[in-house]
Every structure is written in structure tokens, then in C-alpha cells.
Amino acid sequence: CNLIILLLGTGSSILSALQDLFWLSKSKVEKQLQIISVLQWVLTFLVMGVACTLILMYILCTDCWAIAALYLAWLVFDWNTPKKGGRRSQWVRNWAIWRYFRDYFPIRLVKTHNLLTTRNYIFGYHPHGIMGLGAFCNFSTEATGVGQKFPGIRPYLATLAGNFRMPILRDYLMSGGICPVNRDSIDYILSKNGSGNAIIIVVGGAAESLDCTPGKNSVTLKNRKGFVKLALQHGADLVPVYSFGENEVYKQVIFEEGSWGRWVQKKFQKHIGFAPCIFHGRGLFSSNTWGLLPYSKPITTVVGEPITIPKIYNPSQKEVDFYHSMYVNSLIKLFDKYKSKFGLPETEVLEVN
């Protein structure tokens, strides 16, 4: 009997050890999947457009040139689709890879008010960060449940129009509900696509990305009024959105105003539309080395209260300034209300430039 008890006890210990080993392995596998999911997006953001263009040009010079020619013919036929709301895919938006992407940081979407499906909206997203990771995860995928939290609302994340001139990349972006941040695209979505549309505009753009660094909460907004004018022309309600932690995931070399580095960045921004940043995250195999992977810091995106906007076809500058002031005040109130809940001291002030 003692021998049986001993064997049973030993068996239980072995089983317990195997279970511990199994869960440890599962945890490691999930972590690696999270890293892979984030890495593919970083590479997409940085090199996919150029890489796909070069590959297409190469295929044209091989025996498989007909495949590239057919795609180019399709590209010409489909050229204006991004300006007409794109071609979103719920299947792509619900890929499991985006849930691993979400859990890497993790990223969370916080709803503060309901949105009416009878209205259209312009979300002002702040801050830009290096890559707008929170904006992408929350509004171009269903990983954080945007469709469930705002039922009947179709989010469109607006990004550089130049991305939609790149083969393959344009189709990948459109599948997530991403559209060009230009007048034609925004006008179409807000006037010819019914109601229940929400265009997410990263208002600070490239200029704001130059100042993003851990520990800093600042937005480029004082002279950014074009989105307010668009809202007035279409009668689309303005919604302030702030992502706590967006600036924490990368470390950047900040060039002072007047330095040669800042001069080069501004020239790129003016002529190309984006500003080259010198930044780094963690390495692929260790968080203690430098690399392109962002640091796994929490990003919490808070969607504020909508500001009701009247429809004024030709708003005056005074009207634009009035609603812009309302928007700035609403964003500051949103920041002040939630800052302490997401790790910032009560003394922290949002810097509006």
C-alpha cells in the first residue's frame, strides 16, 4: 500500500511538473506570436511599399512578366478606389494576428460616450507617436472591439495619400478600412457614404512625430484647423481622442529647433509629407538591446465626448476658430480627467503647440 501511495504521489508530481512545463511553453509561444505580429506591422509600415514596388519591377523583367502586367492593369482600373471609401474586409480586420498585436503592449480602447449612427464624425487622434500604433490597432482592426463598443459606426483611419500609390500595400491598407487623408477621400466618406462614418485623423501629423518621446505629452494643434473646417462643411461631429502611452513605445533623438537635424526633417516633411525620425525600440530577442520592435508599454486610447457641429457650407474664419477652440478645450479636459487613471501624476499638463 505504501508503495502504491508513493507511486501515485510520484505520478502526481510528474503530472504537475508537466503541466507547469506546458503552461510555460504556451506562455513563451504566445509571447513569440505577439512579437511576430508586431514585427510584421513595423516592417509593413517601414518597407512594404518600396519592397513591393521593386519586386513588381523585377517580375516585369522575368518570364512571369504577365502576372505583373495583369496587376498593373488592375491597378490602373482600381486607382480611385481609395478615394471612394476603399475596400475594407471584416475578415482581415478580425485576423487573430491583431489580437496578438494588441496583447504585446497591451492596447486598450476606452469608450466614454455613445455615438449616434445617424451622424458622421471626425475623430482627432493625439498624439501621433512614431507609428500611430494605437490608432492602427484600435480603428483598423477589431482587436480592441471598436465595432462592439460603437455599433453601427464605420471607422476609417486616414493616412498619407502616398501610401496608396504603392502596389500591394494599398490593398493591404484598404482591407483594414484605411483611407487617404486628402480632401477627395474625406468628402466622399462624409457626403456620399451615408451616416455612421467616423474618419480618424492624426491631427498633429509628421510635425508632431518629431517631438514624441517617452515622458512627454504634447500635441501639435494650435494651427491645425483644416479638420475643423471640414467638419463644419459636412456637419460632422468632432470627437477628441487621446492615447496615453503612445509616446512611450519608442525612444527618439530629438533635434533642437534651428539645428541641422531639424532642418533636414522639416525639408522632408514639406516636400515628401513625412519626417524622418531617428528612433529605436527593443531588439528582436532581448528587451535590453536596440532594435525596431517597440517597447511593450501599455497604450490606452480614450474616445471622448462628441462635439455637435452645425453644417455650414462656407464657414467663416471666426466660426472655424470658435469650434477649434471648443475642440482644444475638450481635448484638454479629456486628458485631465483620465491622466491619473493611466499612470500620469495629477500635476501633468498637456502641452498644446
Side-chain angles (χ1 to χ4, degrees), residues 116-122 154 189-191 193-198 234-238:
L116 299 174
T117 57
T118 55
R119 300 285 292 173
N120 283 325
Y121 302 90
I122 293 180
R154 293 180 297 276
I189 293 171
L190 295 181
S191 63
N193 202 41
S195 60
N197 302 293
H234 292 283
D237 293 348
L238 288 170

Side-chain angles (χ1 to χ4, degrees), residues 228-297:
V228 177
K229 187 174 182 178
L230 281 169
L232 285 165
Q233 290 173 333
H234 292 283
D237 293 348
L238 288 170
V239 182
V241 179
Y242 197 85
S243 256
F244 294 90
E246 184 73 62
N247 285 345
E248 307 299 316
V249 296
Y250 279 110
K251 295 178 181 178
Q252 181 182 187
V253 176
I254 303 294
F255 293 102
E256 296 295 329
E257 288 293 339
S259 66
W260 68 268
R262 182 55 67 103
W263 179 85
V264 170
Q265 288 176 322
K266 287 189 173 181
K267 285 296 180 182
F268 265 84
Q269 178 191 337
K270 180 179 178 180
H271 297 292
I272 301 178
F274 72 92
C277 302
I278 299 177
F279 66 92
H280 74 85
R282 52 156 290 181
L284 183 59
F285 302 106
S286 171
S287 59
N288 296 321
T289 58
W290 286 13
L292 289 176
L293 277 176
Y295 294 104
S296 52
K297 303 288 185 178

Side-chain angles (χ1 to χ4, degrees), residues 153-189:
I153 301 297
R154 293 180 297 276
Y156 294 87
L157 177 61
T159 187
L160 288 176
N163 289 325
F164 296 89
R165 302 186 187 103
M166 302 285 189
I168 310 300
L169 175 63
R170 67 189 292 277
D171 302 289
Y172 189 35
L173 295 178
M174 284 194 291
S175 67
I178 300 178
C179 68
V181 62
N182 59 29
R183 183 62 185 261
D184 291 341
S185 177
I186 294 173
D187 282 347
Y188 183 91
I189 293 171

Side-chain angles (χ1 to χ4, degrees), residues 189-231:
I189 293 171
L190 295 181
S191 63
K192 299 179 182 178
N193 202 41
S195 60
N197 302 293
I199 297 181
I200 297 87
I201 299 177
V202 185
V203 178
E208 191 172 84
S209 69
L210 298 179
D211 292 320
C212 68
T213 187
K216 187 172 184 179
N217 288 283
S218 66
V219 296
T220 301
L221 184 56
K222 279 184 180 178
N223 298 315
R224 299 294 175 105
K225 301 180 180 180
F227 73 105
V228 177
K229 187 174 182 178
L230 281 169

Side-chain angles (χ1 to χ4, degrees), residues 300-314:
T300 305
T301 303
V302 184
V303 180
E305 182 178 3
I307 303 168
T308 303
I309 302 294
K311 187 172 184 177
I312 305 173
Y313 182 74
N314 189 24

